[in-house]
Amino acid sequence: MSLTEARFHDLVDSTQEKLEDIFDDSGLDVDLENSAGVLTVKFENGSQLIFSRQEPLRQLWLAARSGGFHFDFNEEDNNWQCDSSDELLSEMLARLVLEQAGADLDFDEI
């Protein structure tokens, strides 16, 4: 079943707010910018994570140093899953933040 536009926006907004909270509470030296539905996380070393909503596809997209990833929301499991690998957003973020910033953060609440 496809997400409604309103539900999709609520999910992305909620996910981005949780991400901001996790990074704010992490103690990492990061710059967070949320503008027009795009959340950019800039690490001290210059690398970035960029989260954007793709409304027509009802996907959350993530750009990282290692590539671009597209996530669909799984209503049954209440999580974001990569459309190419089925990796959960929370798992991928833990791996990417470790790779890009050397920090071990917990993204399980996403």
Side-chain angles (χ1 to χ4, degrees):
M1 183 169 119
S2 181
L3 293 173
T4 66
E5 182 177 336
R7 172 90 171 121
F8 170 73
H9 285 292
D10 287 346
L11 287 166
V12 173
D13 289 344
S14 173
T15 299
Q16 289 184 342
E17 287 170 15
K18 288 176 186 174
L19 286 168
E20 288 183 67
D21 290 344
I22 289 168
F23 283 109
D24 280 341
D25 296 342
S26 72
L28 286 176
D29 185 11
V30 296
D31 289 325
L32 300 173
E33 182 180 321
N34 199 335
S35 177
V38 177
L39 173 62
T40 303
V41 180
K42 297 178 185 177
F43 298 106
E44 190 174 18
N45 64 10
S47 69
Q48 299 180 33
L49 296 175
I50 302 169
F51 301 87
S52 61
R53 67 187 74 212
Q54 297 301 315
E55 187 178 324
L57 301 172
R58 303 289 196 267
Q59 289 184 324
L60 176 63
W61 285 12
L62 168 60
R65 188 167 56 193
S66 59
F69 307 94
H70 306 160
F71 293 85
D72 295 307
F73 192 77
N74 181 323
E75 289 274 12
E76 188 175 309
D77 295 333
N78 199 38
N79 57 30
W80 292 98
Q81 293 180 330
C82 183
D83 69 353
S84 62
S85 69
D86 289 332
E87 186 175 12
L88 298 180
L89 177 61
S90 58
E91 296 168 348
M92 185 178 290
L93 283 175
R95 181 172 49 79
L96 292 174
V97 170
L98 188 59
E99 288 172 7
Q100 290 188 214
D104 188 12
L105 299 183
D106 180 358
F107 293 94
D108 288 344
E109 68 181 78
I110 293 181

